[in-house]
Amino acid sequence: MLQLAELHPVLTHFPIALLTTAFLFQMVTLLWPKWMAATVPLWVLGLSVAITLFTVLSGEAASDVAVAGAGVSQEVADLIACHEQLGNITIWGSLILFGGWFWLRLKFGDSRLLGIVALVWLLFLMLVVIYSGNLGGSLVFDHGIGS
């Protein structure tokens, strides 16, 4: 039977791709508003939130397996802790952005200022998740975690 920890390498690509897509779609809706519905980036973010939650949970399970099974050095343990922290920033930042953006759109409708704030927040989340992915790749390929 497939364990939660084994899903982490498969799921990790989705938050990176979906947050990047949400950022790019939000940029398109701000620069060329008639090209797509203004809600498309919001719903891509919503999908990202759902998958990111499972990615973070599977990552925590994978971390427990890696640390318990291998007895890692302090340097690697610190890298794992940093990777976990970036995952937590990604999920909580995504949840806050999605909930706030959804609520503000319902309350005030479409606003250019709200779109710009969402774009900046998406840029931050995109950069965090890309850095976290790079760090995760380093843990696997440079330090042999999970292999």
Side-chain angles (χ1 to χ4, degrees), residues 7 21 25 39 51 55-57 67 83-84 102 119 131 137 140:
L7 291 175
T21 301
F25 282 1
T39 56
I51 294 175
T55 305
V56 168
L57 292 174
V67 170
H83 184 64
E84 286 180 1
F102 186 82
L119 180 72
Y131 181 68
V140 171

Side-chain angles (χ1 to χ4, degrees), residues 58-136:
S58 67
E60 289 179 5
S63 171
D64 293 343
V65 168
V67 170
V72 297
S73 69
Q74 185 59 45
E75 175 192 5
V76 173
D78 290 344
L79 289 174
I80 291 172
C82 182
H83 184 64
E84 286 180 1
Q85 184 66 31
L86 292 170
N88 288 329
I89 290 169
T90 302
I91 187 60
W92 285 108
S94 296
L95 275 169
I96 291 167
L97 176 58
F98 180 74
W101 195 2
F102 186 82
W103 182 77
L104 289 170
R105 280 191 57 85
L106 286 177
K107 186 159 178 72
F108 300 110
D110 198 15
S111 133
R112 183 147 180 88
L113 178 61
L114 178 58
I116 292 169
V117 170
L119 180 72
V120 171
W121 200 319
L122 284 168
L123 174 63
F124 168 74
L125 290 173
M126 180 184 73
L127 293 174
V128 168
V129 79
I130 288 171
Y131 181 68
S132 179
N134 185 46
L135 188 57

Side-chain angles (χ1 to χ4, degrees), residues 24-76:
L24 293 173
F25 282 1
Q26 182 61 16
M27 190 180 308
V28 167
T29 63
L30 288 172
L31 295 175
W32 303 284
K34 298 192 187 291
W35 279 22
M36 73 173 66
T39 56
V40 171
L42 177 63
W43 294 117
V44 172
L45 175 64
L47 180 60
S48 174
V49 167
I51 294 175
T52 300
L53 178 62
F54 288 107
T55 305
V56 168
L57 292 174
S58 67
E60 289 179 5
S63 171
D64 293 343
V65 168
V67 170
V72 297
S73 69
Q74 185 59 45
E75 175 192 5
V76 173

